Amino acid sequence: MFARLSQLTRHLSRPLPNYSNISAAAASRSLFRPSIMSTSATEDRSKRMIHTAGCIIIGDEVLGGKTVDTNSAHFAKYCFLLGMNLKRIEVIGDDEAEIGEAAKRMSESYDFVVTSGGIGPTHDDITYESIAKAFKLPLKLHDDALKRMKALSKPHPSQKNFSWDAPSPALDAKLRMVKLPIDESRDESNQVLFVDDSLWVPISVVNGNVHILPGIPRLFTQLLDGLKPLLIPRLENPEGKGVYRILFSTPMAESEVAGYLTTLAAEVEPKGVKVGSYPRWGRKRNSVTLVGKDKDYMESFVPQIEKGVDGVRVEREEDADESEDDANIG
């Protein structure tokens, strides 16, 4: 018994490990090392079927009225044509905490998320670093993106003495645009996508489903178009045509058809079909829409709706317009 007590005393008297001697590098590796469970969840998000989508528009200039956001409208049409249910669009400023919070929340809530803006060369372009911090990822200079930038971009006319080989503030600013959030436990090719051979700009993909895009409308739309072939296999309809819209033009005031449309909406809602009514200020006719995925079911209602709203089916809202007189809106 005394021998066992002696062994226990010696064991308890051993000095505790000196955690202060753990290197900063080791601590950093621990901070940025995802768990096996989180890595598996990320892989799932990058491959699962896409049903829902979210969009984050980033920029003080949008909130301040200097820049008119057109990217969210384009993305809404993009989702509609591909059969993705766009659930939310948010506009936030150049604020690290808000960018990170929105990206994490939407990543958990929706299958496909895009951000627009904040990835340029200046101090207020903080989207990459904000999202990297939110997901506890390091920013890494991406060699392929840098090579493409050198090959496909030209210095501004004001940068006559710029050199890729000489340190300068301009070079540092350019390198900000190719320092990307990278999860080093995953295949890098799934995190940095080059979808257009004419552009050096990558699509950085974080947490499997957050796609970071530029705010410049031409680049935003061009990159989304290039991304489409990668998304189509993950859609319910392999051709990416999962949602349909049937449009009607009616001379009736909205208040006149409101009762009929309320009854119609209750009838078709269980089939996932939505009824919409839209006034057209300055025109004689208004619009009514059916939106859903069951095309045959929706088509069966066309004669009934034409009668119910005293209208006609059209391809475009203006197809049945007869004049530019004041709208008959009540």
Side-chain angles (χ1 to χ4, degrees):
M1 177 176 179
F2 290 110
R4 287 196 297 272
L5 288 173
S6 177
Q7 291 172 353
L8 178 61
T9 300
R10 287 197 302 272
H11 175 74
L12 293 176
S13 65
R14 291 174 184 168
L16 293 171
N18 185 358
Y19 292 104
S20 64
N21 291 333
I22 297 177
S23 69
S28 177
R29 287 194 299 271
S30 176
L31 175 64
F32 291 125
R33 185 185 298 122
S35 68
I36 294 176
M37 183 176 297
S38 66
T39 300
S40 176
T42 300
E43 291 294 341
D44 174 65
R45 275 187 289 270
S46 69
K47 297 176 181 178
R48 68 190 180 196
M49 296 295 289
I50 298 174
H51 302 283
T52 58
C55 178
I56 307 170
I57 304 297
I58 300 168
D60 290 343
E61 66 276 15
V62 178
L63 290 176
K66 177 182 178 295
T67 299
V68 176
D69 164 45
T70 59
N71 288 345
S72 61
H74 177 83
F75 186 63
K77 294 176 182 177
Y78 182 85
C79 290
F80 184 87
L81 292 174
L82 291 179
M84 291 186 283
N85 186 7
L86 179 58
K87 303 291 287 186
R88 181 175 292 270
I89 295 173
E90 292 187 13
V91 182
I92 58 178
D94 298 307
D95 181 281
E96 181 184 278
E98 290 195 4
I99 294 171
E101 186 278 329
K104 288 193 71 175
R105 171 169 41 81
M106 286 206 188
S107 180
E108 291 299 322
S109 299
Y110 310 125
D111 302 320
F112 178 66
V113 179
V114 302
T115 74
S116 163
I119 61 172
T122 58
H123 70 283
D124 56 346
D125 291 307
I126 60 171
T127 297
Y128 283 145
E129 57 193 82
S130 300
I131 292 180
K133 184 175 180 180
F135 289 97
K136 299 182 179 179
L137 298 175
L139 284 176
K140 179 180 177 182
L141 182 65
H142 195 270
D143 291 336
D144 286 347
L146 178 57
K147 290 177 183 176
R148 292 171 66 96
M149 178 190 278
K150 290 180 178 180
L152 296 173
S153 68
K154 296 179 180 179
H156 190 272
S158 66
Q159 298 176 312
K160 295 179 180 179
N161 298 321
F162 174 80
S163 171
W164 290 106
D165 301 317
S168 68
L171 177 60
D172 291 341
K174 289 180 183 292
L175 294 182
R176 281 174 58 89
M177 296 187 284
V178 288
K179 290 181 179 179
L180 310 177
I182 297 294
D183 182 344
E184 295 179 332
S185 69
R186 300 179 56 233
D187 185 353
E188 201 168 287
S189 65
N190 295 326
Q191 303 179 65
V192 182
L193 308 178
F194 297 102
V195 298
D196 190 311
D197 290 339
S198 69
L199 300 175
W200 66 263
V201 185
I203 297 177
S204 175
V205 185
V206 175
N207 207 38
N209 65 345
V210 178
H211 300 70
I212 305 174
L213 276 71
I216 299 172
R218 180 181 67 83
L219 297 180
F220 182 83
T221 58
Q222 198 167 336
L223 289 172
L224 278 179
D225 287 343
L227 185 61
K228 191 181 299 183
L230 300 180
L231 301 179
I232 286 178
R234 298 170 56 198
L235 302 175
E236 283 184 314
N237 185 312
E239 295 183 359
K241 297 178 181 178
V243 180
Y244 301 92
R245 179 187 284 121
I246 299 179
L247 179 64
F248 301 87
S249 177
T250 173
M252 307 296 287
E254 278 199 300
S255 56
E256 186 68 24
V257 298
Y260 167 72
L261 294 182
T262 299
T263 302
L264 176 65
E267 181 177 355
V268 300
E269 191 275 334
K271 288 281 192 175
V273 177
K274 293 186 176 182
V275 177
S277 175
Y278 305 96
R280 300 177 63 223
W281 296 101
R283 301 294 178 90
K284 276 189 171 184
R285 306 179 72 89
N286 297 322
S287 298
V288 170
T289 61
L290 278 187
V291 176
K293 295 184 177 182
D294 192 334
K295 187 176 181 180
D296 292 339
Y297 178 74
M298 292 162 59
E299 290 283 355
S300 71
F301 280 86
V302 169
Q304 173 191 327
I305 295 173
E306 288 183 324
K307 181 178 180 180
V309 301
D310 191 25
V312 293
R313 180 178 180 173
V314 293
E315 292 298 320
R316 301 175 305 165
E317 285 188 315
E318 61 270 23
D319 284 351
D321 289 347
E322 295 179 354
S323 71
E324 297 296 319
D325 295 338
D326 292 340
N328 185 22
I329 299 172

